[in-house]
Amino acid sequence: MSSVNPNLSQERSAVQFPIEELTQFILGGPKRTEKKRILRSLVDPNKYPVFTNDDKFFLSRDKYYVRTLEKLKKLIQYKKQYDLDRDDWFYLLSETGDPNVLILHDLLFIPTLEGQLSDEQLQKWLPLAKDYAIFGCYVQTELGHGSNVRRLETTATYIHETDEFDIHCPTFTSIKWWPGALARTSTHAAVFARLIIDGKDYGIHPFIVQLRGENHKPLPGIEIGDIGPKFGFNNIDNGFLRFNHVRIPRDQMFMKFSKVSRDGKYSTPPHAKMAYGTLVAGRVDIIEQASLFLAKVLCIAIRYSIVRKQGNDTIKNPNESTILDYQFQQYRLFNSLSIVYTFHFVRNWMRDSYEINKKQVGDGDISSMADIHAISSGLKALCTELASDAMEDARRACGGHGYSHFSGIPSMIEFYAQYPTVEGENTILYLQTGRYLIKAFENARNGRPTPAALSYIKDTSRILSERSRATTWEELIDPNEQVKALTHRHTRLLAQLISNLEKSSRNHPQGYEGAKSNHMIDIVNVSRAYCYMIIVISSNEGVESIKSSHPNIYPILRTLVNLFFANSVLKYSGEFLLDNYLDSKHIEILESGVKISLEQIRPNAIGLVDAWEFSDNMLSSALGRYDGNVYEALYNWAKKDPLNLAQEKGLLIGYNEVLKDVFNGEYLKEIIKSKL
């Protein structure tokens, strides 16, 4: 085992809180922490070479895909051997350091079955899916339509005579495009198509369709292929799918809510929002992933920033400075670190809210469904937006080496780049949340029922009349003051939006609804402000809830949540100054408070990333190694490049093919000089 870089050792010894306590807090307590350490050992590449990642940068797409399937096979063995629950299973998958098609089967396909199949259908299909006797994917997006699900073109026409549905892609733009695990892996699909009965269109409904038969070959009438290289996620087989009048039995329509009888009678669910469950579940999962992926990137960037020395050397003092000691490096990385831990509290709050609502829906109570849908939509958009931006900033903070795939960060950025788009493109989600807020404001003003989560809207006049009375940093970061500030900003923007909509609607040909198209920017801004408020509320609730139970880690987590709040206000300081909720003195106090927070975080930075216990194999990073031997790793990994291995064998790739002619000038004798 290689020795640890002395700079990292020194930093770890100076951390001001017990790292083990923070680790247990992150991973769910002492017992879960111990269990997860055992799970991590199951994918140790030193014991099980199939999980190695140090050569993945050199693999072709086909070999990378096969490597992924080899991991899949071993992982399924583990799942059955140890009877892993959901939390342990997804932790094990994440510890491999690579996306796996299992995620698409277990996170999308199975929840769709569970959420939308009838009890009778579940008895048939769910055991097959959970046993991996069939492998499924979620097939919704088409070439011509993604976010606008209502305009999907694939049809499912009921055939009375045979009691079947005819699945068909009638146009070129109706070809299904993008579903993960479709091109080569899946045997079945949850296909979303327009339900047609006797010429009448009943809208989009899901159907389970078998795609492949003997020897995994596509069934008649089904054309499947790979959509080609992507920005990232290239070990996953995203594909296209074209149906040419494929027949399926009637009972393969998902019938938990909507149903079609043998005589072709269509019945609707008791409430349209009952079908929101799968969408919300996917967004909650993405919100949970935001802190995890950003934590990985920052683990790399902060470890490297402790090892890397640059500048400040003079003739009298030849020692260069550790780059993490530069204030602006701290500003970049610690602000992002505040996002990680703030989001950790948000994810717990969102998961709890989702589980409570899920139980209510199961009992027939859908009163909170629209609230959870709107909140999860907006939070998914803001969390992925902030996490993506922070990841790229961390890559830049690593300088030139951050641009190398060996840093591990580009791969993570490439993978995470899908999240602002999948499960609802962020702008669309902001607009959905905005419509929910507009409706709630109108209801409150007209004396109609208002969601409990938005009850404060009834006090709009009082909220807008208030101004901050805080005079110190301590007063500004008081949890109640944080919530009041963000609530004021959101409420003012919402009230202003409503006023502007009313003015615009007077001259708009489509009236009030049509006027919304002229205020899309404002609607997005209102939604974003609302989500910042939710984040500040939930993170403050979360950090205060551990004040007594975790007194050793509370102070540093409190500092991080405060830093997130301060940056949220400073980012939009103009909006707080516009109506004098805050004044210039408040802004000065917040700016000074941010700098003080950076100083408090600095000695604890390494502990805040080490606590996540990311393995070197999971990070796949020369820069983020636990031992800090960055430069040796960069050199040794570069030596593994096939181009370098060929050169060691005397094969100078490119020379005999082209360069030899360029250097000797022979190729120039073939040309005939002429003027253009």
Side-chain angles (χ1 to χ4, degrees):
M1 185 176 181
S2 58
S3 59
V4 176
N5 182 287
N7 293 332
L8 281 177
S9 296
Q10 183 178 350
E11 293 273 346
R12 287 174 175 136
S13 66
V15 172
Q16 299 167 337
F17 64 86
I19 297 176
E20 176 66 16
E21 184 175 341
L22 182 57
T23 298
Q24 292 181 8
F25 171 72
I26 292 170
L27 298 183
K31 290 184 178 179
R32 295 207 71 84
T33 298
E34 186 57 35
K35 189 173 185 181
K36 287 178 179 179
R37 286 170 176 162
I38 295 172
L39 290 170
R40 193 182 311 134
S41 70
L42 298 178
V43 293
D44 182 349
N46 295 315
K47 299 177 183 177
Y48 310 102
V50 68
F51 294 110
T52 188
N53 288 324
D54 61 3
D55 64 342
K56 70 177 183 180
F57 304 113
F58 311 121
L59 296 177
S60 60
R61 283 186 69 213
D62 56 341
K63 290 182 179 179
Y64 197 10
Y65 172 69
V66 171
R67 171 77 62 82
T68 299
L69 295 183
E70 291 170 345
K71 292 180 180 181
L72 173 150
K73 184 178 176 182
K74 186 65 176 176
L75 288 166
I76 292 175
Q77 288 178 330
Y78 284 149
K79 186 179 185 182
K80 292 179 178 294
Q81 181 178 354
Y82 298 107
D83 192 26
L84 300 179
D85 63 20
R86 180 187 187 278
D87 183 58
D88 289 336
W89 176 234
F90 289 119
Y91 181 81
L92 183 64
L93 291 179
S94 71
E95 279 298 315
T96 65
D98 251 349
N100 198 292
V101 288
L102 283 166
I103 296 173
L104 299 160
H105 177 80
D106 290 329
L107 267 183
L108 283 177
F109 184 68
I110 287 181
T112 304
L113 300 184
E114 292 174 327
Q116 301 204 43
L117 288 180
S118 68
D119 290 341
E120 183 180 352
Q121 289 174 316
L122 281 173
Q123 291 178 11
K124 174 181 178 180
W125 294 105
L126 194 57
L128 295 172
K130 286 192 170 183
D131 200 44
Y132 302 100
I134 63 172
F135 204 97
C137 55
Y138 185 92
V139 177
Q140 178 173 292
T141 301
E142 297 175 354
L143 261 177
H145 290 92
S147 298
N148 191 5
V149 178
R150 291 177 298 176
R151 294 302 300 272
L152 294 178
E153 299 175 85
T154 298
T155 57
T157 304
Y158 183 60
I159 310 298
H160 287 272
E161 293 77 10
T162 59
D163 194 25
E164 293 176 312
F165 288 108
D166 179 275
I167 311 297
H168 184 58
C169 294
T171 65
F172 196 77
T173 51
S174 67
I175 297 172
K176 296 295 185 180
W177 199 271
W178 276 112
L182 168 64
R184 292 179 295 278
T185 309
S186 292
T187 61
H188 291 69
V191 177
F192 286 75
R194 312 196 72 81
L195 173 61
I196 309 294
I197 304 175
D198 297 327
K200 183 176 180 179
D201 187 338
Y202 288 90
I204 305 303
H205 292 71
F207 302 81
I208 189 164
V209 182
Q210 183 175 348
L211 304 176
R212 300 176 184 275
E214 187 177 356
N215 296 322
H216 209 54
K217 293 180 179 179
L219 293 174
I222 293 177
E223 180 188 0
I224 301 180
D226 194 288
I227 64 169
K230 308 174 291 287
F231 185 77
F233 217 50
N234 281 304
N235 63 326
I236 305 300
D237 55 323
N238 293 76
F240 66 81
L241 173 61
R242 193 174 196 176
F243 293 106
N244 184 14
H245 296 293
V246 175
R247 295 288 185 93
I248 63 170
R250 176 176 54 86
D251 64 5
Q252 286 183 211
M253 172 182 165
F254 287 57
M255 292 197 190
K256 181 174 184 176
F257 303 118
S258 301
K259 297 177 174 61
V260 175
S261 65
R262 175 64 184 88
D263 59 357
K265 299 296 184 183
Y266 175 76
S267 57
T268 59
H271 199 291
K273 294 182 178 64
M274 294 288 283
Y276 281 175
T278 303
L279 288 173
V280 173
R283 288 164 190 168
V284 171
D285 288 331
I286 291 174
I287 293 167
E288 287 185 325
Q289 293 294 312
S291 60
L292 176 65
F293 277 96
L294 182 53
K296 293 179 190 178
V297 171
L298 290 173
C299 184
I300 295 169
I302 287 174
R303 284 177 179 173
Y304 176 61
S305 294
I306 291 171
V307 172
R308 182 76 169 182
K309 294 182 180 296
Q310 199 81 28
N312 270 356
D313 54 313
T314 64
I315 294 176
K316 293 183 179 180
N317 180 17
N319 296 319
E320 294 185 285
S321 295
T322 299
I323 63 173
L324 195 58
D325 287 336
Y326 288 106
Q327 187 186 65
F328 198 77
Q329 188 77 348
Q330 295 173 20
Y331 181 73
R332 301 175 85 169
L333 299 180
F334 297 171
N335 285 346
S336 296
L337 202 55
S338 77
I339 295 174
V340 167
Y341 281 95
T342 298
F343 281 9
H344 185 73
F345 290 112
V346 174
R347 60 170 280 184
N348 294 340
W349 177 86
M350 189 71 251
R351 174 58 65 181
D352 290 345
S353 300
Y354 168 74
E355 293 298 337
I356 291 171
N357 179 71
K358 184 179 177 181
K359 184 178 184 305
Q360 290 175 339
V361 171
D363 295 336
D365 178 6
I366 59 169
S367 59
S368 299
M369 191 70 241
D371 305 339
I372 295 297
H373 179 260
I375 292 170
S376 65
S377 295
L379 282 180
K380 180 268 181 184
L382 183 56
C383 289
T384 57
E385 177 183 298
L386 294 180
S388 295
D389 291 346
M391 288 179 190
E392 172 58 17
D393 197 40
R395 184 195 65 77
R396 295 180 186 180
C398 292
H401 289 320
Y403 189 68
S404 169
H405 260 296
F406 294 161
S407 75
I409 297 178
S411 297
M412 293 182 189
I413 291 174
E414 289 167 0
F415 171 74
Y416 196 80
Q418 65 181 301
Y419 283 120
T421 304
V422 299
E423 297 297 316
E425 196 276 328
N426 280 359
T427 301
I428 303 298
L429 295 185
Y430 276 134
L431 292 172
Q432 288 180 3
T433 302
R435 287 194 291 271
Y436 162 81
L437 295 171
I438 292 169
K439 182 178 180 180
F441 190 97
E442 293 168 344
N443 286 343
R445 187 173 56 178
N446 295 317
R448 293 192 293 268
T450 305
L454 295 172
S455 59
Y456 61 88
I457 290 179
K458 298 175 183 178
D459 296 324
T460 293
S461 296
R462 177 188 59 78
I463 292 171
L464 297 185
S465 68
E466 291 180 338
R467 300 296 179 267
S468 176
R469 297 180 180 180
T471 59
T472 65
W473 167 254
E474 289 72 23
E475 291 176 354
L476 276 170
I477 61 171
D478 177 84
N480 291 328
E481 286 298 315
Q482 291 188 31
V483 173
K484 284 173 65 177
L486 273 292
T487 302
H488 180 92
R489 174 188 171 230
H490 154 63
T491 305
R492 186 183 65 78
L493 290 176
L494 179 56
Q496 185 64 53
L497 170 63
I498 298 297
S499 176
N500 291 339
L501 279 172
E502 290 174 344
K503 292 176 184 177
S504 298
S505 65
R506 294 171 193 151
N507 300 315
H508 199 284
Q510 279 87 44
Y512 192 78
E513 286 302 313
K516 291 178 182 178
S517 63
N518 294 337
H519 293 278
M520 292 178 70
I521 297 172
D522 306 315
I523 295 173
V524 168
N525 287 338
V526 165
S527 295
R528 191 180 281 118
Y530 172 69
C531 293
Y532 267 109
M533 182 192 75
I534 292 294
I535 288 173
V536 166
I537 290 173
S538 57
S539 60
N540 272 285
E541 287 179 357
V543 75
E544 288 305 304
S545 71
I546 67 165
K547 189 172 184 178
S548 299
S549 58
H550 293 283
N552 295 319
I553 61 174
Y554 169 80
I556 190 62
L557 296 180
R558 177 77 262 175
T559 298
L560 289 161
V561 170
N562 291 343
L563 180 58
F564 178 88
F565 163 74
N567 282 317
S568 300
V569 174
L570 291 172
K571 185 175 183 179
Y572 299 100
S573 58
E575 294 177 5
F576 290 95
L577 293 169
L578 197 62
D579 68 348
N580 297 315
Y581 181 82
L582 298 177
D583 58 29
S584 60
K585 183 62 177 176
H586 289 122
I587 302 304
E588 290 177 11
I589 292 171
L590 288 169
E591 289 173 341
S592 297
V594 166
K595 293 175 183 176
I596 292 171
S597 299
L598 300 182
E599 293 173 0
Q600 294 171 339
I601 294 168
R602 173 62 187 90
N604 297 297
I606 189 64
L608 289 166
V609 293
D610 277 357
W612 291 80
E613 293 195 346
F614 299 128
S615 68
D616 284 349
N617 190 59
M618 180 206 218
L619 294 177
S620 300
S621 170
L623 304 190
R625 293 170 58 92
Y626 184 84
D627 64 15
N629 294 321
V630 169
Y631 305 116
E632 296 88 341
L634 284 170
Y635 175 76
N636 290 330
W637 284 15
K639 294 279 283 183
K640 295 179 181 179
D641 191 303
L643 294 173
N644 291 327
L645 294 176
Q647 182 169 290
E648 289 177 2
K649 297 177 181 178
L651 300 174
L652 303 177
I653 295 175
Y655 179 73
N656 287 324
E657 295 90 339
V658 180
L659 286 176
K660 182 170 65 175
D661 291 339
V662 172
F663 295 148
N664 64 29
E666 288 294 322
Y667 73 109
L668 295 175
K669 296 178 181 179
E670 302 173 4
I671 67 173
I672 300 175
K673 289 186 177 181
S674 61
K675 291 184 179 181
L676 292 177

